Amino acid sequence: MNIGWLASEQNVVQLECRKTSSCTIRLHGGTISSWRVNEREQIFVSQTTKYNWTSPINGGIYVVFPQFKTPKGYDNDFTKMLPWTLISGPDVVEGGDMEAEIQLKSDVYCMSRFKHPFSITTYIRLMESELFVLTEIHNPADDFFKFNFSIRAFLKVPLKHSLIEGLNGVNFLDIINNTYGKVVGHFKTSEKLEVLFRRKRCNHVHLVRGHKFTHVLRIRNINLPSMVIWNEEANNQPREFFIAANERRQMMCYEPSFVKPMTLKPHSAIRTGLYFSLVEVAKEKETKENDVNKK
């Protein structure tokens, strides 16, 4: 039986699907703080996180808007700290999936940080082994406005034993080492990581994790072909982002974004998003079967 509920005091929306997957949405910053498939957590949230509305959640999946850095170097993606509103759901839809929709509309405080009205609506759909996140940015005013935007997805990744497939031939810039080139074959993750990949198409990439590379997360960007992949050592990390020392090798941020600022016409909107799919690898099943046969 599918269950969805809202804990109003804690501002938490919980989605559950077919007893195999669950998703936790926190209205604090409009942040997805958990996605579990067969009891295995896919999203990274630091144990240092305090759910007290005084600071952003250290991890999860959330949008970065409207500006990455101010001229003085301070973060100005204030939407990750504000209370969002649940506008629909949680609902069971066709096929037994569950969905919910959250929204943030500009108010007096937002206008003090960003001199233009806006609304951001994020639609979340949970499936048996998939998670779909679609965000719409709307310009309700009569004039143009320019902004930066990305979706930060903090994932549980053993950095020493993971690689990314699907980037062969893609141009990259290694920000930490100040080098550039093209990916040949797959891209190997490392403990110090901050790499910009410039793409023209939103093809799938495969994040292959684990000592035997048997846990695969397929990711597809929607209207955000380029992305930065980074970890705790990166210059791109939020100023108030803190994680424990024993977590540094287990986290990677997958952040598709507009490489240049986006200009939105009056009374128009743009949709972007991420589609995650957890893939069962036959190699893992074959290994288990071989072990049984040996016994």
Side-chain angles (χ1 to χ4, degrees):
M1 180 177 179
N2 297 42
I3 303 172
W5 52 268
L6 168 66
S8 57
E9 293 183 358
Q10 300 177 353
N11 292 289
V12 176
V13 181
Q14 183 74 27
L15 307 181
E16 295 183 9
C17 181
R18 301 184 184 91
K19 295 184 179 181
T20 60
S21 62
S22 64
C23 174
T24 302
I25 307 162
R26 295 183 180 270
L27 299 183
H28 175 190
T31 303
I32 300 172
S33 61
S34 176
W35 173 40
R36 300 177 68 88
V37 180
N38 295 322
E39 301 299 324
R40 178 173 291 171
E41 182 61 66
Q42 307 300 317
I43 293 176
F44 172 86
V45 174
S46 175
Q47 63 194 41
T48 64
T49 296
K50 298 178 181 179
Y51 300 102
N52 57 9
W53 296 90
T54 61
S55 59
I57 295 171
N58 287 328
I61 301 174
Y62 60 82
V63 301
V64 178
F65 176 93
Q67 187 176 343
F68 299 146
K69 298 285 185 181
T70 65
K72 294 182 179 180
Y74 293 105
D75 295 337
N76 196 30
D77 50 331
F78 55 85
T79 56
K80 66 187 179 186
M81 297 186 64
L82 298 180
W84 289 50
T85 302
L86 178 69
I87 59 173
S88 69
D91 296 318
V92 180
V93 295
E94 184 179 357
D97 302 338
M98 292 209 71
E99 65 180 16
E101 201 167 8
I102 60 176
Q103 187 178 74
L104 177 68
K105 286 188 175 182
S106 56
D107 55 14
V108 174
Y109 173 77
C110 292
M111 294 293 286
S112 72
R113 299 288 300 271
F114 182 64
K115 307 296 184 182
H116 200 288
F118 66 87
S119 69
I120 307 174
T121 304
T122 297
Y123 165 83
I124 301 106
R125 182 163 183 160
L126 176 69
M127 292 152 274
E128 189 170 5
S129 58
E130 298 160 293
L131 181 67
F132 179 44
V133 181
L134 184 66
T135 295
E136 179 181 276
I137 304 170
H138 179 239
N139 176 9
D142 295 327
D143 54 346
F144 292 78
F145 80 82
K146 185 179 290 187
F147 62 95
N148 289 116
F149 179 83
S150 70
I151 302 176
R152 282 191 182 135
F154 292 88
L155 305 173
K156 294 195 74 171
V157 178
L159 292 173
K160 277 190 173 183
H161 306 286
S162 298
L163 55 88
I164 302 171
E165 297 179 336
L167 295 173
N168 185 44
V170 173
N171 293 321
F172 72 87
L173 171 64
D174 187 329
I175 298 170
I176 291 179
N177 297 312
N178 196 26
T179 59
Y180 62 91
K182 280 190 176 183
V183 178
V184 178
H186 61 262
F187 182 84
K188 184 75 173 63
T189 61
S190 60
E191 292 182 23
K192 292 186 177 182
L193 186 67
E194 187 174 16
V195 182
L196 168 65
F197 297 93
R198 291 179 176 267
R199 303 190 303 173
K200 295 182 179 180
R201 296 181 180 180
C202 294
N203 298 326
H204 287 98
V205 299
H206 293 82
L207 177 57
V208 188
R209 301 170 293 178
H211 291 273
K212 297 182 180 180
F213 301 109
T214 53
H215 304 108
V216 179
L217 185 62
R218 180 186 291 134
I219 308 172
R220 182 179 179 184
N221 304 2
I222 300 170
N223 288 336
L224 292 169
S226 298
M227 67 274 191
V228 178
I229 296 176
W230 57 274
N231 65 3
E232 195 265 343
E233 298 285 343
N235 295 323
N236 186 54
Q237 70 175 19
R239 184 169 56 94
E240 62 285 275
F241 182 73
F242 301 103
I243 64 175
N246 62 350
E247 298 175 319
R248 292 178 179 175
R249 299 178 181 179
Q250 303 299 320
M251 180 277 291
M252 185 190 81
C253 184
Y254 182 91
E255 185 173 356
S257 65
F258 298 122
V259 175
K260 297 180 180 179
M262 177 72 181
T263 299
L264 202 54
K265 296 179 181 179
H267 304 285
S268 64
I270 184 170
R271 288 184 174 182
T272 63
L274 282 173
Y275 190 95
F276 300 95
S277 177
L278 192 63
V279 182
E280 292 291 337
V281 181
K283 185 186 298 184
E284 183 177 25
K285 296 180 180 179
E286 292 173 359
T287 301
K288 291 181 179 179
E289 291 175 357
N290 292 336
D291 291 340
V292 172
N293 293 333
K294 289 180 180 179
K295 292 180 180 179

